Amino acid sequence: MKLSIALLLPLCEAFSPSQTFRSTSLALNSSAERDEVDYVQLNRRDALSSALKTATAITGASTFPLVTNAEDIQIDSPSVVKRVPTVNLGNSSLKVSRTIQGYWQLAGGHGKYNQDEAVANMKAHFDAGITTLDTADIYGPSEFIVGKFVKEQKARAPEDKPVICTKFCCFKFLDDIDKNEVRTRVTKACERLQLEQIPLIQFFWSNYDIKKYVDVALMLTELREEGLIGEIGATNFDLKRLKEMKDAGVPIVSHQVQMSCLDQRAVQSGMADYCSENDISLIAFGTVGSGILSEKYLGRGPPTQEEKNTASMRMYSKTAERFGNWKLVQELLQTLDAVASDVRSSGRCVDAKIANIAQRYVLDTKSVASVLIGVRNRSHIDENINTHSFSLTDGERDAIFAVVNKRNGPKGDVWDIERGYA
């Protein structure tokens, strides 16, 4: 297989071959920590050389031709986009934006916020083309606040509707859930969201040992047939249980899972392949690991205890630890940064950053329809839109895969660790 890549463009002008990778002088005591800092100082050429050697071993390619002119890059997308593209979920008619606003952050554990400001954030993202919003019945006042935005948007432009996705989460008294409870909970969600029909409800079940999840999913299916629900999705099921629900006749069109360069469980379990073969779209959250996959952590130590001040940062710090030691995380960041520089130099996206490359890598994964971003403010709107303005070359993806393939974890299937099954 002959691969065409432009990975050495960053080594001109902005980064000379002798220029070392950005690093921070850290006061570290242990020899292990000192070793990691030495690794962080690895220069760009060495980082890419290592990634390409691994890619060669994995793919069997003997050569990796280097592109030195922007004209040699095949650009599949315009360099600037005004709107985020949309995609149908599964084989349904429901279209969602390929970046989705996520509102777990309104559940608490992410600092104080003002509800009116949260609604203003929703409008700003919606106006920028991120027209789909994701929430859940367990996210505190999140559904209610999203409902305020729905009401305001309807008054402002009734023909320009946001697509609202929420979740039906089951944690307690699982054996006791019946049709009446399901109907009551969905009806109340409609009221909070100020919708007559919820476009997408995503089903979560906490305990596989209580095997009523298929029955409850079929109860949701009945409400879909009545028109109270538009489409049914799943959230953080493993492959075995997803198959059980699908085989029972539950018309699942999407599955929301944690997926990133740091977390490949949906790929390694066969989930992505199964979803591709059965018209189920994956919606990926955690694609930048609460900012771990960004310039902020390039060339420095892991998140400090002071930085682990949100629920999401605590969760994704654990994901990074399971991926491998901080040395491996830095190798991944170095490779993503090199690809970002390559994308900028080639003219595909002049503002490409590490987070864009991390998101693009996930978006290009089999079955993935959209990536979900946690919204706390408006500071990353342009950056998130930029993800849709370029494509990665095969060689760039191979270089990223070469590092991802060195991972130690997370092991198992989707959400196995979080459920205590791995």
Side-chain angles (χ1 to χ4, degrees), residues 46-59:
D46 290 341
L48 288 173
S49 175
S50 174
L52 290 175
K53 285 177 182 177
T54 307
T56 300
I58 293 169
T59 63

Side-chain angles (χ1 to χ4, degrees), residues 347-386:
R348 281 171 284 168
C349 178
V350 296
D351 296 314
K353 296 182 178 180
I354 288 174
N356 297 125
I357 307 305
Q359 289 180 332
R360 189 73 250 174
Y361 185 81
V362 172
L363 278 168
D364 292 345
T365 301
K366 184 183 293 187
S367 303
V368 174
S370 303
V371 295
L372 192 150
I373 57 170
V375 175
R376 298 178 67 187
N377 51 53
R378 297 188 279 277
S379 62
H380 297 291
I381 291 178
D382 290 341
E383 182 179 346
N384 282 308
I385 291 175
N386 283 340

Side-chain angles (χ1 to χ4, degrees), residues 47 54 77 95 113 119 125 261 278 315 370 372 375 416:
T54 307
S77 304
K95 287 184 178 292
Y113 63 87
V119 172
H125 282 79
C261 293
N278 289 273
M315 181 172 78
S370 303
L372 192 150
V375 175
D416 276 356

Side-chain angles (χ1 to χ4, degrees), residues 142-163:
S142 182
E143 282 186 332
F144 173 77
I145 299 170
V146 170
K148 290 179 67 175
F149 167 69
V150 169
K151 181 179 180 180
E152 290 186 11
Q153 180 61 25
K154 184 177 181 180
R156 197 164 35 237
E159 73 287 348
D160 198 8
K161 298 178 181 178
V163 177

Side-chain angles (χ1 to χ4, degrees), residues 1 3 5 7 39 46-61 64 261 264 323 327-336 339 361 392-408:
M1 178 176 63
L3 301 173
I5 79 170
L7 287 176
Y39 186 86
D46 290 341
L48 288 173
S49 175
S50 174
L52 290 175
K53 285 177 182 177
T54 307
T56 300
I58 293 169
T59 63
F64 289 83
C261 293
Q264 290 283 291
F323 175 77
K327 178 178 177 179
L328 184 60
V329 175
Q330 281 297 308
E331 184 179 353
L332 175 61
L333 284 170
Q334 290 163 4
T335 303
L336 294 173
V339 172
Y361 185 81
L392 296 175
T393 67
D394 288 344
E396 288 163 348
R397 287 188 57 81
D398 287 337
I400 297 168
F401 173 76
V403 183
V404 170
N405 202 49
K406 296 179 182 180
R407 68 190 182 277
N408 295 323

Side-chain angles (χ1 to χ4, degrees), residues 24-276:
T24 303
S25 295
L26 303 174
L28 302 175
N29 297 320
S30 71
S31 60
E33 288 173 323
R34 286 196 297 273
D35 289 344
E36 291 187 0
V37 171
D38 289 341
Y39 186 86
V40 167
Q41 294 173 341
L42 186 71
N43 70 36
R44 185 181 301 274
R45 184 183 293 276
D46 290 341
L48 288 173
S49 175
S50 174
L52 290 175
K53 285 177 182 177
T54 307
T56 300
I58 293 169
T59 63
S62 59
T63 60
F64 289 83
L66 300 176
V67 180
T68 56
N69 297 303
E71 292 80 7
D72 294 327
I73 301 285
Q74 294 296 317
I75 301 175
D76 297 327
S77 304
S79 60
V80 177
V81 292
K82 298 296 183 182
R83 301 281 288 183
V84 173
T86 59
V87 63
N88 290 78
L89 290 182
N91 59 1
S92 76
S93 61
L94 180 62
K95 287 184 178 292
V96 299
S97 50
R98 296 209 72 192
T99 293
I100 295 175
Q101 304 181 42
Y103 287 102
W104 173 34
Q105 279 71 10
L106 299 180
H110 291 85
K112 295 180 180 179
Y113 63 87
N114 176 279
Q115 289 195 8
D116 291 337
E117 182 65 16
V119 172
N121 290 338
M122 294 172 193
K123 180 181 184 301
H125 282 79
F126 180 85
D127 290 345
I130 305 175
T131 54
T132 304
L133 291 77
D134 179 87
T135 181
D137 55 0
I138 60 167
Y139 291 174
S142 182
E143 282 186 332
F144 173 77
I145 299 170
V146 170
K148 290 179 67 175
F149 167 69
V150 169
K151 181 179 180 180
E152 290 186 11
Q153 180 61 25
K154 184 177 181 180
R156 197 164 35 237
E159 73 287 348
D160 198 8
K161 298 178 181 178
V163 177
I164 306 300
C165 312
T166 192
K167 302 181 187 73
F168 186 91
C169 299
C170 302
F171 285 93
K172 297 180 178 180
F173 310 112
L174 301 180
D175 270 330
D176 298 331
I177 298 175
D178 58 17
K179 290 184 179 181
N180 182 59
E181 178 183 337
V182 173
R183 179 182 296 277
T184 298
R185 287 178 56 186
V186 172
T187 300
K188 288 187 178 297
C190 286
E191 293 172 359
R192 290 190 294 270
L193 293 165
Q194 305 207 37
L195 295 168
E196 293 182 0
Q197 181 192 75
I198 297 174
L200 177 70
I201 276 195
Q202 301 157 106
F203 175 44
F204 175 82
W205 189 264
S206 61
N207 187 354
Y208 295 145
D209 294 333
I210 300 176
K211 302 182 183 299
K212 201 173 181 180
Y213 46 88
V214 173
D215 293 336
V216 174
L218 289 171
M219 295 174 196
L220 290 169
T221 301
E222 291 181 10
L223 296 185
R224 176 183 177 274
E225 292 168 355
E226 291 181 20
L228 198 59
I229 296 170
E231 299 293 345
I232 296 174
T235 300
N236 287 329
F237 277 86
D238 65 9
L239 180 56
K240 177 182 177 181
R241 277 75 182 190
L242 189 71
K243 285 181 176 179
E244 287 178 14
M245 292 188 293
K246 188 73 172 176
D247 291 345
V250 181
I252 297 170
V253 300
S254 68
H255 189 202
Q256 188 176 134
V257 297
Q258 184 176 334
M259 185 194 293
S260 69
C261 293
L262 296 171
D263 189 340
Q264 290 283 291
R265 288 178 289 179
V267 176
Q268 69 199 25
S269 65
M271 178 78 69
D273 288 332
Y274 174 80
C275 288
S276 177

